[in-house]
Amino acid sequence: MVTLHCLADVCLIPIGTSTASVSNEVAVITKLARSSHLNCTLHSAGTTIEGPWNEVMELIGQFHEKLHDSGVVRIQSDIRVGTRTDKHQSPQDKIDIVEKKIASGSV
Ligand SMILES: *[C@@H]1O[C@H](CO)[C@@H](O)[C@H](O)[C@H]1NC(C)=O
């Protein structure tokens, strides 16, 4: 079986911390993501991770472990994941296609 490639949009939600801010947790996760060989893009409400399914899920598990290690006792993750077999598409490709349609006036 060919390794399934995926794009996962992940948002970890720490529960029960003493502040409404999550930027510290996001910084910890982003550092970990950048140390992996997977393509990761930080956006305003999560991170998009691109790569083989198992490795992406493994990395998300490491996010949880890392945050638990730093003292967060509960984390609820929102994960949206997409796969396709007809072509390879990066997160930027998906955005570019929409921008091109808008710029061309076709919509
Ligand atoms: C990272 O992005 C590049 C360029 O789009 C792509 O060729 C490569 O396969 C991606 N790596 C992973 C692990 O998906």
Side-chain angles (χ1 to χ4, degrees), residues 27-100:
V28 167
I29 293 313
T30 302
K31 225 173 125 180
L32 184 58
R34 289 182 181 164
S35 73
S36 83
H37 68 283
L38 303 177
N39 297 323
C40 298
T41 313
L42 177 66
H43 59 88
S44 65
T47 301
T48 304
I49 310 166
E50 176 187 16
W53 181 279
N54 291 346
E55 294 173 42
V56 170
M57 295 306 156
E58 171 74 25
L59 183 60
I60 294 169
Q62 288 171 11
F63 289 167
H64 275 244
E65 275 178 23
K66 189 87 179 175
L67 280 194
H68 284 312
D69 285 349
S70 75
V72 180
V73 297
R74 186 175 182 189
I75 305 156
Q76 189 74 29
S77 273
D78 179 28
I79 305 170
R80 289 179 298 155
V81 58
T83 57
R84 67 186 296 169
T85 57
D86 57 336
K87 64 178 175 181
H88 179 89
Q89 204 177 33
S90 74
Q92 191 60 49
D93 292 337
K94 294 170 70 180
I95 294 167
D96 290 347
I97 287 168
V98 174
E99 292 294 353
K100 217 177 274 175

